Amino acid sequence: MSVTLLYSRLVLPVTLMLVSAASMALEIVAGRALAPYVGMSLYSWTVIIAVVLAGLSIGHWLGGLIADRYTALRIWVAGTLAVATITTLASLGLLKVIEPAVSGSDPISHVAWLSMGAFFAPSALAGIISPVLTKIALDETEPNRHGRVLGLMFALGAFGAIVGTLLAGLVFISWIGTTGSVIVIAALYGLLSLAFFPVFFKAGTSVALVIVTGLAVYQPQRLGLGTSCLEETSYFCVRVDDVVFNGRQSRLMALDHLAHGINDAQDPEMLLSAYVQGVDEIVRTRFPEPGISAFFMGGGAYTLPRAWQSAYPEGRFTIAEIDPAVTRIADEEFWFDPGANTRILHGDARRILSELPRDETFDVIFGDAFHDITIPPHLVSDEFHTLVKSRLNDGGVYVVNVLERFGQPALLLSLVKTLQARFNTVELWLDLDSVPEVDARVTWIVLATDIPTPTGTFEAKNGFYRQWARAPIKRMGEIVGEDKLVFLTDDYAPVDRLLSGVLLDARLSE
């Protein structure tokens, strides 16, 4: 087989497939890389995907122009892949440079600027490769085989995109993290460039590739590739910070860009977060005996399970945490030691709750699986509330925290409307110290039960002194407008649209 035929039948298609795989892998990595700055939501993923696809589209167009106008196309491929190597390695460093300049913008613009600045260029460069390689393959193939060549190149490009997406989502991020994934993608671009450089350039390029890759692996901070995450899991960038809260030594867990739990170092029942303390006070008032059965949707720092293990020595606790790494970090860093009557199940909370034995019920079901404005739609639907109601004992309570606007909480009131179809009583509680002077994001406590709370306010009996007040649901509904509320079902739960006011108002995100 001649060298020309080898290029057209093997090297060119394989290169196109691998470049497609790398470009799609970088798209998935981009979502994870931006999470510590902007979180992860439908909106952030939409913008990231749009930016990457825009880069690929413009790259395809430029690649077509190059294929028509120039003859030394292998040099173009080699140079483009070399530049793609550099821009890919630079992406994480660029995020850190761009972030301070755009942090005051509204959240969608925030995502767009970060995505454009860090990931548009490598996506556009990857896009250039496909038409150029296809033109080389057509030039080196008999005219009666052009259709087959086109079909093969398109098919391998699509197949590569599938492989890259799966590898990034299922393997790379989980096993080697964002930085490692970026290094692998950049190294792949660099290696592929060697196949197209002239012989006298190969040696120098190889040495440069080895030096840069080695530096990226062993001293990533020098290239701006370091991460602030203690650990990157399949779901989150987990960070742990030692803090002093009201003079007390404590430790904070952040998942992506949001604080998700804070534990006191000495006293597990000292609850530093207002909404967690509010839930604790509600439950202790309703269940004063030493035994309680509780199901937790989400573990995080395991703040409340840790507290209730101490407060209810005869209690029975089941925690559904989707991320095993979060559980391990809570055990290692947050002083959480599961007791004999504490059961931790890893997986989706709804699935776990539905698969428990039919006769297993609880006094309390606490929903703490809502991450910033990323609210799983299947955990707010009427079908899920039916399941929750069936798992509660007589007099039991379902409590959930929701981060929403103070003045126009459309999603919050839609959740209330949906809960009212299954529960006789639905209440909203708010820490009085968190009531803002202007519209802003606050954490609401939603309580669903069949036995109403006999008072409209209550004070903390344990830990820090705080006060909570019950919000007037009917009046809030009149202010927001009943026509803006949605009865949430598995088929239709537009949580992202209902929360769009929180997302689009930059002031609410500060």
Side-chain angles (χ1 to χ4, degrees):
M1 182 181 293
S2 67
V3 173
T4 300
L5 196 56
L6 178 66
Y7 261 89
S8 62
R9 293 192 178 180
L10 181 61
V11 175
L12 300 177
V14 170
T15 300
L16 187 147
M17 180 184 71
L18 292 176
V19 170
S20 295
S23 66
M24 287 298 101
L26 190 63
E27 178 182 296
I28 303 299
V29 171
R32 165 54 60 214
L34 265 64
Y37 305 102
V38 297
M40 297 181 72
S41 67
L42 176 64
Y43 293 100
S44 64
W45 273 113
T46 299
V47 174
I48 291 166
I49 292 170
V51 167
V52 171
L53 291 179
L56 290 171
S57 298
I58 291 176
H60 291 328
W61 176 68
L62 292 174
L65 294 180
I66 292 168
D68 273 347
R69 295 183 180 182
Y70 299 96
T71 55
L73 294 181
R74 286 189 181 82
I75 295 296
W76 274 98
V77 172
T80 301
L81 287 171
V83 178
T85 301
I86 296 169
T87 56
T88 300
L89 279 176
S91 60
L92 298 186
L94 285 171
L95 285 178
K96 298 174 184 178
V97 173
I98 298 169
E99 164 62 19
V102 301
S103 59
S105 57
D106 69 88
I108 289 183
S109 298
H110 194 179
V111 179
W113 283 116
L114 290 174
S115 302
M116 288 286 292
F119 299 104
F120 179 83
S123 298
L125 290 163
I128 290 173
I129 299 299
S130 177
V132 175
L133 289 178
T134 302
K135 179 62 163 56
I136 296 172
L138 291 173
D139 288 345
E140 296 175 354
T141 304
E142 302 88 344
N144 62 347
R145 294 180 57 90
H146 283 182
R148 300 179 196 180
V149 170
L150 287 172
L152 176 65
M153 300 296 268
F154 277 110
L156 288 178
F159 178 73
I162 295 170
V163 171
T165 301
L166 293 175
L167 284 175
L170 302 179
V171 180
F172 288 167
I173 292 175
S174 298
W175 287 94
I176 60 176
T178 300
T179 298
S181 300
V182 167
I183 292 171
V184 168
I185 294 166
L188 177 61
Y189 284 145
L191 289 172
L192 291 174
S193 71
L194 295 178
F196 295 88
F197 270 119
V199 174
F200 55 89
F201 279 134
K202 289 184 187 293
T205 306
S206 300
V207 171
L209 180 61
V210 169
I211 293 173
V212 172
T213 304
L215 187 62
V217 171
Y218 293 106
Q219 294 188 354
Q221 298 292 347
R222 290 197 174 186
L223 295 180
L225 293 173
T227 175
S228 61
C229 308
L230 171 69
E231 185 170 334
E232 288 184 87
T233 75
S234 298
Y235 300 92
F236 306 111
C237 163
V238 183
R239 290 174 289 171
V240 176
D241 295 312
D242 288 309
V243 296
V244 177
F245 188 92
N246 279 14
R248 301 182 65 90
Q249 285 299 126
S250 54
R251 193 164 285 167
L252 181 145
M253 175 185 284
L255 302 181
D256 293 337
H257 74 307
L258 186 76
H260 206 72
I262 181 169
N263 289 4
D264 187 83
Q266 301 299 323
D267 186 358
E269 296 182 49
M270 180 62 68
L271 300 173
L272 308 180
S273 176
Y275 84 86
V276 176
Q277 186 183 11
V279 172
D280 178 67
E281 294 287 347
I282 289 171
V283 170
R284 289 199 193 207
T285 299
R286 288 175 176 262
F287 303 97
E289 300 301 321
I292 188 177
S293 57
F295 181 90
F296 297 86
M297 298 159 44
Y302 284 77
T303 305
L304 205 50
R306 178 174 176 251
W308 286 0
Q309 281 188 159
S310 174
Y312 293 101
E314 299 177 16
R316 174 174 58 88
F317 309 110
T318 300
I319 303 107
E321 167 58 52
I322 197 168
D323 193 342
V326 167
T327 299
R328 175 174 49 76
I329 293 170
D331 179 66
E332 295 172 352
E333 304 286 344
F334 288 85
W335 312 288
F336 175 63
D337 182 17
N341 295 327
T342 297
R343 173 178 53 176
I344 300 173
L345 303 174
H346 292 116
D348 178 76
R350 177 169 173 173
R351 179 184 61 79
I352 289 173
L353 189 61
S354 67
E355 292 178 354
L356 293 176
R358 291 189 177 184
D359 60 349
E360 187 168 355
T361 55
F362 304 91
D363 298 317
V364 179
I365 296 178
F366 176 43
D368 196 23
F370 297 173
H371 183 57
D372 192 15
I373 60 169
T374 305
I375 296 181
H378 68 297
L379 297 184
V380 296
S381 68
D382 180 57
E383 291 86 348
F384 177 63
H385 298 155
T386 302
L387 171 63
V388 169
K389 182 69 179 294
S390 71
R391 292 293 184 172
L392 285 174
N393 297 325
D394 292 339
V397 297
Y398 173 50
V399 193
V400 62
N401 65 287
V402 178
L403 188 65
E404 245 279 37
R405 297 178 74 167
F406 176 75
Q408 291 288 320
L411 184 275
L412 177 73
L413 294 176
S414 294
L415 175 61
V416 169
K417 176 179 180 178
T418 308
L419 283 166
Q420 287 172 336
R422 301 298 166 188
F423 293 89
N424 294 334
T425 298
V426 180
E427 301 170 355
L428 293 178
W429 294 90
L430 192 63
D431 168 33
L432 290 178
D433 289 337
S434 70
V435 176
E437 295 182 1
V438 296
D439 196 8
R441 298 200 313 187
V442 295
T443 300
W444 298 85
I445 299 173
V446 184
L447 174 69
T449 182
D450 289 333
I451 303 175
T453 304
T455 180
T457 61
F458 66 89
E459 299 177 350
K461 299 181 179 64
N462 305 285
F464 295 113
Y465 178 76
R466 292 184 175 112
Q467 290 180 296
W468 292 265
R470 183 164 53 197
I473 292 175
K474 183 177 180 181
R475 177 59 181 152
M476 291 171 65
E478 292 172 352
I479 294 173
V480 173
E482 289 292 334
D483 59 317
K484 295 182 180 178
L485 307 185
V486 176
F487 188 80
L488 304 168
T489 67
D490 283 346
D491 180 62
Y492 185 61
V495 295
D496 296 281
R497 176 173 65 80
L498 292 169
L499 282 171
S500 60
V502 177
L503 182 71
L504 295 174
D505 191 334
R507 184 186 66 239
L508 300 179
S509 301
E510 294 176 354

